[in-house]
Amino acid sequence: MPFSAQPPASGERYALSASLDNARHLSSLLRAVHFQDHATCLATASGLRVTVEDAKCIQANAFIQAEIFQEFSIQEESVMFRISLSVLLDCLTIFGTSSLPGTSTALRMCYRGYGYPLMLFLEEGGVVTVCKINTQEPDELLDFDFCSTKVVNKIILQSEGLREAFAELDMTSDVLQITMSPDKPYFRLSTFGNAGSAHLDYPRDSDLMEAFHCSQTQTNRYKISLLKPSTKALALSCKVSIRTDAQGFLSLQYMIRNEDGQICFVEYYCCPDENITEAEL
Amino acid sequence: LSRIGDELYLEPTESGLSLRAVNSSRSAFASFLFAPLFFQLYEPGSAGPDTELFRCKVHMKPLLGVFRSLPSLEKSVWKCLILLKPRASRLVLQLHCKYGVTKTHNLAFQECERLQAVFDTQRCASRLCVTARVLAEAVVHFPPTLAEVTLGTGPGGKISLRNYVEDEAEPSKTMVTELWLAEDEFQSVAVAPGSHITFCLKEFRGLLSFAEASNLPLTIHFDEPGRPVIFTLDDTVLEVHLVLATLSDLQSNSQSPSTNGVSHLPAPSDDFADDLESYMAAMETSEGCSEGPPSPTFPLHTPRPAKSKPEEEEEEEEEEGAVPGTPPPKKFRSLFFGSVMTPGRPGPATAQEVLAEDSDGE
């Protein structure tokens, strides 16, 4: 439903202005990275990237490319600000979170520039809400220096096979141990909880395995509390790629198809846990 | 079994895998015996000449976590492998799921003594056989929080279910729900007239749900108040027993265990108001009952090396000698747990005299 109310006054230049017919295309993705209150937004000509970090160990990025928007115009090379993700999500879902077919909230987003608040115009069924969210100085973001050339092991799995596993992870375990290997057990997720250990093995010839490129046996442990929020992204996605580099840094990339069939990506980067002890088998 | 206790006792035997649980006050015991035929493969291991077959107990919660979601288990798991590894102190549960995925759980276990309540269905004066559905439909009338219920036999072969009301409760503030089932609702009825027992409904509900789901008829063996009630489910590959202690009836005059439970409670009539009043009156006359020792209750005989007896049970044995004039607190007597001498299935008790007081001094 085309958004017609409150167009920006002529003569005003907005550093960023974008329109989206269905705000859910943005809100569902943002929810997949919502494990901290604040996020850093970076807008470039390619689209919007929203980054959330925690404990200097984990970083999640939600990418909404420009093509998803009905209108996406940016006057500067890049625009970056820090904003309360909780408030942003509350505003985007101000008309409620239930997704009734046929109804959707239309969104217009405007940002005048450095120091200005982010303006949101939301409309559903003729009712308009205007939100003004303060922006802050963006933080320095972690650079995991994770590039495809440094990847040691990579697998691509259908998300369906991992969803239940992640939802049922033994949270009494401090760590999630990931083993990737060209030999058995190929791909293994392990937890070491109060009652004992649990291992989830995925063979390389499983129907769920879309790609299997493991050159070296690697076993790395990650703090389970940091990875657990990625379950939301997993739930939305249809495929996930799991990659590790020589230092054990983990990259999880989720391919998400929205209601209109468009593809978006969410990725999580995680440092290995420093207290490495002998894995209990 | 998790409705009964926090720990699951696993005992592989020649006749099948036995899973058992007991509650903390030892007034409820349940066992599920899965015959070897239930499994695709069953290897109980072998007992040496001096050693018994290995057994252990695990915590219920993590075990329940392994089998968390039944619907998804049915859809995705095609095989489950259970291994007991004594040397590694681990119970291994390996689920083989679709897409070639394998879930392996290594649970810590503790070695334990044999858990066996002594009970004998042959010595029960009364027996009822009913489909689980009939009982489930009856029980639905009682609030989910109701602790105890009284099962009784009435004129014309009718069976009653009534919520148990404590003596201390004020009649004007309590609600009594009573339900009568005709004889023909049961598959078989062989009861001593005028008998009744009071047991814990909460602990029974777990078994009732299982019976409903598995569509097996339930048999209830009971005797006098104070003697345990035994619920059984039988199948070609599964034998289930639930033994619950029942409230003993201090004003009952029957001293010997094998009578037909002549009770001094008024026989239930069709006149509800009279019935209730006289029932209440009977409960109140527990004072002044000074003849002889009260109805026998079960001592707890723990096998050597003795596990620490629960506090409560020591007190109970003192109470038996206490002045009968004081109204009994509403405690269930502990069940009798037999010695571990004889391995074998739960079944008819050995020659042990059930009424023997614990020879240990209190």
Side-chain angles (χ1 to χ4, degrees), chain A residues 101-221:
Chain A
T103 64
S104 59
T105 308
L107 165 73
R108 180 159 182 81
M109 205 160 62
C110 305
Y111 179 66
R112 274 246 212 125
Y114 180 79
Y116 286 90
L118 178 70
M119 302 284 289
L120 300 176
F121 299 88
L122 294 131
E123 186 259 332
E124 186 176 307
V127 179
V128 177
T129 306
V130 180
C131 307
K132 211 154 70 164
I133 311 175
N134 285 336
T135 59
Q136 289 120 35
E137 201 67 49
D139 283 330
E140 179 106 6
L141 293 176
L142 293 170
D143 180 8
F144 285 78
D145 196 23
F146 198 103
C147 58
S148 12
T149 50
K150 295 189 185 170
V151 170
V152 172
N153 288 324
K154 168 176 171 165
I155 66 168
I156 300 183
L157 272 176
Q158 283 176 22
S159 303
E160 182 195 337
L162 273 181
R163 259 180 232 144
E164 200 192 292
F166 261 78
E168 291 181 356
L169 279 178
D170 180 3
M171 294 307 287
T172 65
S173 168
D174 282 336
V175 296
L176 175 65
Q177 179 173 283
I178 300 183
T179 302
M180 293 168 81
S181 168
D183 310 307
K184 277 198 171 185
Y186 304 116
F187 177 57
R188 169 178 279 190
L189 298 174
S190 309
T191 52
F192 308 95
N194 289 343
S197 59
H199 304 286
L200 195 50
D201 294 346
Y202 293 81
R204 68 180 296 168
D205 56 358
S206 165
D207 284 343
L208 291 170
M209 205 63 89
E210 293 229 342
F212 189 89
H213 304 289
C214 291
S215 55
Q216 221 183 82
T217 300
Q218 278 188 311
T219 297
N220 289 295
R221 291 184 167 199

Side-chain angles (χ1 to χ4, degrees), chain B residues 171-315:
Chain B
S172 57
K173 290 193 179 154
T174 48
M175 179 172 84
V176 175
T177 305
E178 189 180 64
L179 176 65
W180 290 93
L181 294 165
E183 201 173 338
D184 60 10
E185 303 228 39
F186 294 81
Q187 291 185 340
S188 86
V189 175
V191 297
S195 56
H196 68 278
I197 44 152
T198 301
F199 58 88
C200 182
L201 181 59
K202 269 203 271 206
E203 281 156 351
F204 172 60
R205 281 186 195 270
L207 183 72
L208 189 55
S209 319
F210 181 85
E212 259 193 301
S214 58
N215 220 5
L216 291 171
L218 192 63
T219 306
I220 310 174
H221 303 266
F222 61 99
D223 202 58
E224 298 181 329
R227 302 282 305 268
V229 55
I230 304 150
F231 301 89
T232 62
L233 291 174
D234 264 301
D235 183 66
T236 45
V237 290
L238 174 64
E239 211 180 282
V240 185
H241 293 269
L242 171 66
V243 186
L244 295 179
T246 61
L247 269 190
S248 60
D249 217 16
L250 279 189
Q251 71 277 24
S252 160
N253 278 344
S254 53
Q255 300 304 320
S256 69
S258 58
T259 59
N260 287 333
V262 173
S263 159
H264 277 229
L265 279 185
S269 66
D270 286 318
D271 190 342
F272 177 77
D274 279 0
D275 190 23
L276 176 61
E277 220 176 275
S278 43
Y279 176 79
M280 287 294 154
M283 297 307 278
E284 279 159 31
T285 53
S286 60
E287 292 92 343
C289 193
S290 57
E291 80 282 76
S295 307
T297 60
F298 283 2
L300 181 73
H301 176 73
T302 47
R304 314 272 186 269
K307 282 194 276 190
S308 55
K309 295 186 183 187
E311 209 53 49
E312 183 193 326
E313 170 241 330
E314 309 267 8
E315 287 165 43

Side-chain angles (χ1 to χ4, degrees), chain B residues 3 136-149 161-165 174-179 199-203 205:
Chain B
R3 304 276 189 105
E137 285 174 6
V139 147
V140 97
H141 296 279
F142 297 104
T145 50
L146 177 64
E148 287 99 23
V149 76
L161 275 176
R162 182 209 302 253
N163 61 319
Y164 175 75
V165 177
T174 48
M175 179 172 84
V176 175
T177 305
E178 189 180 64
L179 176 65
F199 58 88
C200 182
L201 181 59
K202 269 203 271 206
E203 281 156 351
R205 281 186 195 270

Side-chain angles (χ1 to χ4, degrees), chain A residues 63-129:
Chain A
F63 294 92
I64 306 100
Q65 55 270 39
E67 293 75 37
I68 305 281
F69 293 88
Q70 273 60 56
E71 188 212 312
F72 193 89
S73 88
I74 182 164
Q75 301 300 325
E76 298 168 19
E77 208 182 293
S78 74
V79 160
M80 194 157 158
F81 52 83
R82 184 174 180 258
I83 195 168
S84 164
L85 186 55
S86 313
V87 172
L88 177 57
L89 270 169
D90 283 344
C91 293
L92 289 174
T93 55
I94 204 152
F95 289 106
T97 49
S98 63
S99 46
L100 291 169
T103 64
S104 59
T105 308
L107 165 73
R108 180 159 182 81
M109 205 160 62
C110 305
Y111 179 66
R112 274 246 212 125
Y114 180 79
Y116 286 90
L118 178 70
M119 302 284 289
L120 300 176
F121 299 88
L122 294 131
E123 186 259 332
E124 186 176 307
V127 179
V128 177
T129 306

